[in-house]
Amino acid sequence: MVVGAFGDLASEISRCFRTESPNDKEKLKETIINETIPFLMSRLEIILKTNKGFLANGKLSWAEFYVVGFYPSIRGILGVDLTEKYPFFKELVERVQALPGIKEWVEKRPDTEV
């Protein structure tokens, strides 16, 4: 369910690239930032809280890797840092990025905006 919701968010964000009118593009971006993200993240915070900081069954799953892996793209494309307003999400990002293999990659990967 969570992965599907983030997939929907990715589809909305990709519309920003396909929209030709700068005015329409800006309106879409504002809608995503001011409506779509708060709607999604408020529910995600509840899920994380009720699942002991995880997205499903109170333990690490592939969903955490998908969501945390997609997070830098949101920050890079929209300029929104989801960890600022959503403390359970921030804890999730920190927990996943602290995993040994992930931590090593994050430290050595190329520095890109997206």
Side-chain angles (χ1 to χ4, degrees):
M1 176 181 78
V2 173
V3 170
F6 266 80
D8 292 344
L9 176 60
S11 294
E12 285 297 303
I13 292 171
S14 72
R15 286 181 50 211
C16 288
F17 293 107
R18 295 189 317 265
T19 302
E20 292 183 22
S21 164
N23 191 34
D24 291 344
K25 189 177 289 204
E26 192 58 36
K27 285 180 185 177
L28 178 58
K29 186 176 173 181
E30 287 177 21
T31 299
I32 293 169
I33 291 170
N34 297 319
E35 296 176 25
T36 307
I37 288 177
F39 178 83
L40 172 66
M41 292 305 295
S42 65
R43 279 135 186 92
L44 185 72
E45 285 287 284
I46 293 167
I47 290 168
L48 289 167
K49 184 177 180 179
T50 58
N51 282 296
K52 302 175 188 165
F54 295 98
L55 296 173
N57 301 319
K59 60 184 179 180
L60 188 66
S61 71
W62 69 276
E64 280 80 11
F65 294 104
Y66 180 86
V67 169
V68 172
F70 182 60
Y71 157 68
S73 295
I74 295 170
R75 189 179 61 221
I77 295 167
L78 299 177
V80 175
D81 186 350
L82 301 178
T83 62
E84 290 178 354
K85 291 184 180 179
Y86 304 102
F88 288 101
F89 183 72
K90 180 179 182 177
E91 289 174 16
L92 176 67
V93 169
E94 290 171 350
R95 185 179 319 109
V96 170
Q97 290 183 344
L99 294 170
I102 304 292
K103 183 177 181 179
E104 291 168 17
W105 170 246
V106 168
E107 290 172 354
K108 71 177 185 179
R109 71 181 175 193
D111 188 26
T112 61
E113 290 183 16
V114 184

